[in-house]
Amino acid sequence: MSIQKRLVGSYLVVISITVLILEIFLIVSVRYYYFHNIERVLMNQAELSASFFQQYFAEEDLEKQSERLLQGFTTHSDAQVQIMDSSGRLLQDSTGLDFGSLMTPYPDVQAAIAGQPETWKGKDSGTREPVLAVSYPLKAHNITVGAVRFVSSLTGTISTINHIACLLLGVGLLVVAIVTILGLFLSGTITRSIQDLKQAADRMTEGDFRINVHKRYRDELGSLADTLNKMASRIVQSEQLKNDFISSVSHELRTPLTSIKGWVITLKASGDGNQDLLHEGLDIIESESDRLGRMVDELLDFSKLDSGRITLDLKPVQLADLLHHIGRQLGPRAARQGVSLHIQADEMLPIIQADENRLKQVLINLIDNSLKFTDAPGSITVEACTAPGHVIVSVADTGTGISEGNLANVLQKFYKGDPHATGSGLGLAISDQIVKLHKGELQIASTEGQGTKVQIRLPI
């Protein structure tokens, strides 16, 4: 069953039950109102009649004065009036009913003769129409000498009540119909958004991530549509980065392989006679082999990080010694490029728990990036200092810097701000993950044309 059918069905069940309860309550209230009013009017007339008798006819014989009393009692009443003696025998009847018949079978008459006013609702013995009767005792000197009875037909009242009940039922059905239409409309506003989301999800399942989900309303489903659109956009971006990465890696792998193959062919053709050419070719082959090795290592590291299989070998590390060692390792390269490499590390830096090889990998990657984008006579400064609970290592250069648009994405995997730059685009992403595994934080600040500063915060 569809969501729309369930929603409309739920609306109908709730509204139908509510309308039914209200209908029953209103019909019962109307019925009570009409019957109670008739009863109250008849009771007031009977009470006035009894009071009139007690005041003016208490000393008279009831049977002899019954005709006069009947005329007085019926003057201001449209109801049937009956007068009975203390034995329940009918003395007078405004409709001409046979005199002398016993009225004691009626419970209201029995109660009135016994001295208590009473009402009775039932069917008239002659016409079989529904009636409401009120009997009231007639007393003389606190002695019940008879009773007066007012009887009113309920046929018109019941017809009016039935008419009102039909009107209320019609209004109730109209309310249910309106609620059904509104339920269809309101549920449609929900289901249409859900259908849009489902269609978009189906197309994404088929691999189409360029679809944009239509946002109909600013509600939870609208927020879900925004989230789905953002997810699709990021997937498209990731796919593009992956494709660029594959293209870049293919190019990066092909370049050194082509160089190696070219020098191998050259060395084979030249023979062993030219030692200078041999040494130059072997140096280039070694350099390109190292380059291939670094790329393969980056791919392996990324694979381990992405699957969560990389682990750290935490040991005490003297950070100052590590930084000076890296400075001696990369110093010759910086000198060849005409770039000054400065290591500023306090010998009193605290010993930290870290994976020395992984930390060295991160620092070499950061300095290598600085060397790539810093021209002579630039400078690179590696500085380490302490902060409350942390050691801060920063690598600052005076290179080309990073544009504001690229700065937000440089830590993403496969991302390369410069499509023509060498490398896999994984170095910073891997470095960031390694720092996070050390429970640290890597931050990058840069101004285009002025340089870049990368800061690593590691816990002590």
Side-chain angles (χ1 to χ4, degrees):
M1 183 182 292
S2 66
I3 293 178
Q4 186 174 26
K5 290 182 179 179
R6 293 204 301 270
L7 286 173
V8 175
S10 300
Y11 290 155
L12 280 178
V13 170
V14 173
I15 295 300
S16 298
I17 292 175
T18 304
V19 169
L20 179 62
I21 293 173
L22 288 175
E23 293 283 350
I24 293 173
F25 173 76
L26 289 174
I27 291 173
V28 170
S29 298
V30 169
R31 186 181 179 87
Y32 171 79
Y33 172 79
Y34 275 90
F35 286 168
H36 179 71
N37 275 352
I38 294 174
E39 180 183 340
R40 181 169 53 83
V41 169
L42 294 180
M43 184 64 74
N44 287 338
Q45 291 176 346
E47 187 177 359
L48 287 173
S49 299
S51 177
F52 177 78
F53 170 80
Q54 188 174 6
Q55 186 173 357
Y56 296 105
F57 292 90
E59 304 297 334
E60 304 291 337
D61 183 77
L62 177 62
E63 185 175 356
K64 293 180 180 180
Q65 301 297 329
S66 61
E67 186 174 353
R68 293 178 58 193
L69 288 171
L70 181 64
Q71 292 177 357
F73 292 165
T74 58
T75 301
H76 303 290
S77 177
D78 295 330
Q80 178 185 358
V81 181
Q82 296 175 328
I83 299 175
M84 294 145 287
D85 61 14
S86 59
S87 63
R89 184 170 58 89
L90 183 64
L91 300 178
Q92 293 290 335
D93 190 311
S94 61
T95 61
L97 191 66
D98 293 340
F99 303 148
S101 59
L102 287 175
M103 304 294 291
T104 50
Y106 296 102
D108 59 308
V109 175
Q110 296 176 11
I113 293 174
Q116 296 294 328
E118 187 60 78
T119 60
W120 173 78
K121 185 169 62 176
K123 290 187 176 181
D124 185 86
S125 58
T127 61
R128 304 307 298 171
E129 65 176 337
V131 296
L132 177 65
V134 173
S135 296
Y136 208 94
L138 297 176
K139 294 184 179 182
H141 306 294
N142 293 326
I143 298 175
T144 301
V145 296
V148 60
R149 189 173 191 240
F150 284 79
V151 182
S152 178
S153 174
L154 296 178
T155 301
T157 303
I158 292 175
S159 176
T160 301
I161 293 173
N162 291 337
H163 178 73
I164 294 174
C166 291
L167 182 62
L168 291 174
L169 289 173
V171 172
L173 292 174
L174 179 62
V175 169
V176 172
I178 292 174
V179 169
T180 302
I181 296 172
L182 289 176
L184 289 170
F185 172 75
L186 293 175
S187 61
T189 62
I190 298 174
T191 54
R192 280 194 295 271
S193 297
I194 295 176
Q195 287 172 355
D196 291 342
L197 293 171
K198 181 182 181 301
Q199 290 174 1
D202 290 340
R203 291 183 60 179
M204 288 180 184
T205 303
E206 295 172 358
D208 182 8
F209 295 103
R210 297 190 179 276
I211 184 173
N212 187 57
V213 184
H214 176 56
K215 181 179 178 180
R216 295 180 179 271
Y217 306 100
R218 301 176 65 87
D219 55 7
E220 289 81 359
L221 291 176
S223 299
L224 181 58
D226 288 338
T227 302
L228 202 60
N229 288 333
K230 289 179 182 177
M231 182 187 72
S233 176
R234 291 183 179 177
I235 291 175
V236 170
Q237 186 179 13
S238 296
E239 287 293 316
Q240 184 62 43
L241 289 174
K242 183 190 72 174
N243 293 335
D244 292 343
F245 165 75
I246 293 173
S247 176
S248 175
V249 168
S250 299
H251 173 73
E252 294 293 333
L253 290 174
R254 188 181 297 112
T255 300
L257 286 173
T258 302
S259 178
I260 291 172
K261 183 177 180 180
W263 275 101
V264 169
I265 294 173
T266 300
L267 294 176
K268 280 184 177 180
S270 64
D272 297 332
N274 192 338
Q275 292 296 319
D276 293 335
L277 182 64
L278 177 62
H279 286 294
E280 181 183 0
L282 292 176
D283 288 339
I284 292 175
I285 291 174
E286 181 182 11
S287 174
E288 295 299 324
S289 298
D290 291 340
R291 181 178 170 188
L292 284 173
R294 286 194 300 270
M295 293 184 65
V296 171
D297 288 340
E298 283 187 350
L299 292 173
L300 290 174
D301 283 341
F302 170 73
S303 176
K304 290 180 181 179
L305 285 169
D306 204 41
S307 61
R309 292 183 291 110
I310 194 169
T311 58
L312 298 180
D313 183 16
L314 298 178
K315 293 180 180 179
V317 175
Q318 177 55 260
L319 196 56
D321 293 342
L322 177 61
L323 292 178
H324 287 299
H325 173 74
I326 294 174
R328 290 191 295 271
Q329 180 178 343
L330 297 178
R333 177 184 169 186
R336 287 195 302 269
Q337 294 184 205
V339 176
S340 301
L341 178 59
H342 305 284
I343 306 296
Q344 298 176 0
D346 188 353
E347 298 296 336
M348 300 304 294
L349 284 172
I351 296 175
I352 63 172
Q353 293 291 325
D355 186 324
E356 185 172 357
N357 289 329
R358 290 296 179 184
L359 199 55
K360 181 179 179 181
Q361 177 185 351
V362 171
L363 294 170
I364 289 177
N365 180 267
L366 296 180
I367 298 173
D368 180 70
N369 284 340
S370 294
L371 288 170
K372 287 179 183 178
F373 298 101
T374 302
D375 298 326
S379 65
I380 300 172
T381 302
V382 181
E383 183 180 4
C385 61
T386 58
H390 292 85
V391 171
I392 300 177
V393 181
S394 62
V395 178
D397 63 55
T398 59
T400 57
I402 305 172
S403 66
E404 186 176 351
N406 290 329
L407 188 59
N409 301 313
V410 292
L411 293 180
Q412 291 186 15
K413 56 187 178 181
F414 311 132
Y415 186 82
K416 293 171 67 175
D418 182 2
H420 303 292
T422 60
S424 64
L426 292 173
L428 282 176
I430 294 173
S431 298
D432 183 51
Q433 292 298 318
I434 292 174
V435 172
K436 287 181 178 178
L437 288 174
H438 282 85
K439 302 187 185 304
E441 182 182 8
L442 187 146
Q443 297 177 337
I444 301 177
S446 182
T447 302
E448 192 171 9
Q450 297 182 16
T452 302
K453 183 176 182 179
V454 182
Q455 191 176 77
I456 301 172
R457 295 173 62 90
L458 297 171
I460 298 176

